[in-house]
Amino acid sequence: MIGIAMTAGALLVAAGFNFFLVPHQVLSGGVSGIAMMVGYIFGGNIGLLYFALNVPVLIWGWLTVGKRFILWSLYSVAASTLFMQVIPVMELVVDLWLGAVFGGILLGFGSGLALRYGGSSGGFDIIASILTRRRDLPVGMMIFILNGLVIAILVAFTRNADLALYSLASIFAAGKVVDVIHVRHVKITAFIVTTKTEEMLSALLKHPRGITVIKTRGAYSAADRDMLMTVRTKYELADLRKTVASIDAKAFVNLVETVGVMGDFAKRRET
């Protein structure tokens, strides 16, 4: 199921590029936007540029985030690159606004699928995942600023302010669709009732998030158990589910969307 979702997401990303954005030389957000800008200005294969620019980000993520997330992200980026070589660059719509908006919708849907199933479409999504693990930062604003810099560079080279507006419309549409499928900066409180407390703590404490152990007793069984409470971002939810299931398949997990947190969100590192 995960492989199918990742492949479908990569296909949508490639279709958004080659059918809507590239024919009109409109930018998307993130690393793909940088690849497109370089391709528009200096020439070159945008798909291969997209893959090459993602390599250092993927390596950084491998060292920081974890293997599973990065492996699926690598698969998504590689599949998108392959599909971009197969799908011809074709102008499906003449109107620039339609191209920008519908291209953004396809990109957002593809990226959202990748994020929902534990990977990403590379680039700024991986950077966002790294930053949310280290500090509770307004990642959405940081990504918006980075995208704005990319668009500003394009305007400086092309002297075409209209392209900036079309690109912003595309990025806005993509962001809204991603938010529907996978909210970027929402926190989740997980309540995990388990009989394998020590094994669970040993695995979960490798992550820079605090955990509270609460003694509980089942009303029906009268059995004493431990409940682990921890707050994670949605970027980390797939990894949390996999960890819990691998240690205690019978664990009861209640996931609650968190309105906000006070105090230290990330676990302090010893110096």
Side-chain angles (χ1 to χ4, degrees), residues 82-112:
L82 177 61
F83 284 133
M84 288 178 70
Q85 309 312 306
V86 175
I87 298 174
V89 176
M90 183 186 305
E91 188 179 281
L92 288 189
V93 294
V94 177
D95 187 82
L96 264 173
W97 277 115
L98 288 176
V101 172
F102 280 94
I105 289 173
L106 285 181
L107 258 65
F109 205 95
S111 299

Side-chain angles (χ1 to χ4, degrees), residues 205-253:
L205 284 174
K206 295 176 183 178
H207 196 284
R209 300 286 182 236
I211 301 172
T212 300
V213 181
I214 304 169
K215 295 295 182 181
T216 63
R217 184 169 65 89
Y220 179 76
S221 65
D224 292 327
R225 295 189 180 183
D226 290 324
M227 180 170 69
L228 312 183
M229 182 184 74
T230 183
V231 180
R232 305 291 171 103
T233 67
K234 276 209 169 183
Y235 274 115
E236 304 154 1
L237 189 54
D239 185 56
L240 176 69
R241 284 173 168 162
K242 182 175 180 291
T243 300
V244 171
S246 66
I247 296 172
D248 185 1
K250 295 182 179 180
F252 175 80
V253 182

Side-chain angles (χ1 to χ4, degrees), residues 18-250:
N18 287 3
F19 287 156
F20 295 99
L21 300 186
V22 174
H24 294 292
Q25 294 199 335
V26 175
L27 294 184
S28 67
V31 169
S32 59
I34 299 175
M36 295 167 83
M37 179 183 66
V38 173
Y40 296 157
I41 297 173
F42 301 106
N45 188 299
I46 292 176
L48 297 179
L49 286 169
Y50 170 67
F51 183 83
L53 289 174
N54 266 294
V55 168
V57 180
L58 288 165
I59 293 173
W60 184 25
W62 180 275
L63 299 173
T64 308
V65 178
K67 295 181 179 179
R68 183 178 184 276
F69 177 78
I70 296 303
L71 284 174
W72 279 118
S73 299
L74 175 60
Y75 176 85
S76 178
V77 171
S80 296
T81 302
L82 177 61
F83 284 133
M84 288 178 70
Q85 309 312 306
V86 175
I87 298 174
V89 176
M90 183 186 305
E91 188 179 281
L92 288 189
V93 294
V94 177
D95 187 82
L96 264 173
W97 277 115
L98 288 176
V101 172
F102 280 94
I105 289 173
L106 285 181
L107 258 65
F109 205 95
S111 299
L113 277 177
L115 287 168
R116 188 179 184 91
Y117 286 93
S120 75
S121 57
F124 289 175
D125 288 332
I126 294 177
I127 295 173
S129 180
I130 294 170
L131 293 176
T132 56
R133 281 172 177 257
R134 293 186 171 182
R135 294 187 179 181
D136 187 22
L137 297 173
V139 177
M141 181 56 66
M142 295 181 66
I143 291 176
F144 180 78
I145 292 172
L146 291 172
N147 286 333
L149 288 174
V150 173
I151 292 173
I153 294 172
L154 178 68
V155 173
F157 273 95
T158 63
R159 305 294 180 182
N160 189 340
D162 288 349
L163 279 180
L165 295 177
Y166 292 126
S167 298
L168 284 173
S170 176
I171 293 170
F172 180 79
K176 285 298 181 182
V177 175
V178 168
D179 284 344
V180 171
I181 300 173
H182 180 94
V183 181
R184 291 188 176 194
H185 199 53
V186 168
K187 297 177 184 65
I188 299 294
T189 299
F191 298 94
I192 307 165
V193 181
T194 179
T195 57
K196 300 181 179 180
T197 304
E198 296 307 319
E199 297 96 318
M200 198 76 73
L201 287 174
S202 178
L204 295 179
L205 284 174
K206 295 176 183 178
H207 196 284
R209 300 286 182 236
I211 301 172
T212 300
V213 181
I214 304 169
K215 295 295 182 181
T216 63
R217 184 169 65 89
Y220 179 76
S221 65
D224 292 327
R225 295 189 180 183
D226 290 324
M227 180 170 69
L228 312 183
M229 182 184 74
T230 183
V231 180
R232 305 291 171 103
T233 67
K234 276 209 169 183
Y235 274 115
E236 304 154 1
L237 189 54
D239 185 56
L240 176 69
R241 284 173 168 162
K242 182 175 180 291
T243 300
V244 171
S246 66
I247 296 172
D248 185 1
K250 295 182 179 180

